[in-house]
Amino acid sequence: MDTIVNIYGLKCDFCDYEDMSIPFADYPKYINAPCPKCGANLLLQEEYDESVRIYKIVAIINKIKNILKWINPFHYWRLIFGDKRPLMKITKKFPKRVQ
């Protein structure tokens, strides 16, 4: 399966501390954990919940994208009407406007 989304690393909002080696799977360990430099909360519960929502939304979008990649409208046209009907062709040409 394709990578859904890459979420990693934490950065303090109050000082210059950042650790980009922290994987998303370890985020629950850092909820309300103090920053090693300034002691402020490194990750709030609301921030974690928002990142989980983003992860789920991107996962749904990727699933839809993968499904749509395999849908071929001409295949369904043949299934419905049989092989005797000609396939429609999609062209990028548009009719000329009459002025």
Side-chain angles (χ1 to χ4, degrees):
M1 180 179 231
D2 296 334
T3 301
I4 294 173
V5 64
N6 290 324
I7 300 176
Y8 58 91
L10 290 173
K11 181 180 176 188
C12 181
D13 294 336
F14 300 101
C15 69
D16 62 345
Y17 174 78
E18 65 178 37
D19 184 357
M20 293 302 164
S21 66
I22 300 171
F24 182 65
D26 290 345
Y27 274 21
K29 297 177 190 175
Y30 291 93
I31 295 172
N32 295 325
C35 172
K37 280 192 171 182
C38 69
N41 278 343
L42 201 54
L43 181 65
L44 298 174
Q45 182 67 45
E46 296 83 22
E47 294 171 331
Y48 174 71
D49 293 342
E50 185 177 344
S51 63
V52 169
R53 279 193 296 273
I54 291 170
Y55 187 86
K56 288 179 180 181
I57 289 169
V58 172
I60 291 168
I61 291 170
N62 279 340
K63 284 181 184 180
I64 291 170
K65 183 184 74 169
N66 288 336
I67 290 169
L68 292 177
K69 182 170 58 175
W70 293 105
I71 293 176
N72 182 347
F74 300 130
H75 175 71
Y76 295 106
W77 178 272
R78 284 187 169 239
L79 285 176
I80 293 169
F81 297 110
D83 290 334
K84 296 177 183 175
R85 291 199 177 217
L87 294 177
M88 296 185 300
K89 293 183 180 178
I90 296 178
T91 62
K92 292 186 178 182
K93 295 179 182 178
F94 297 100
K96 293 181 181 179
R97 284 187 165 182
V98 177
Q99 294 183 2

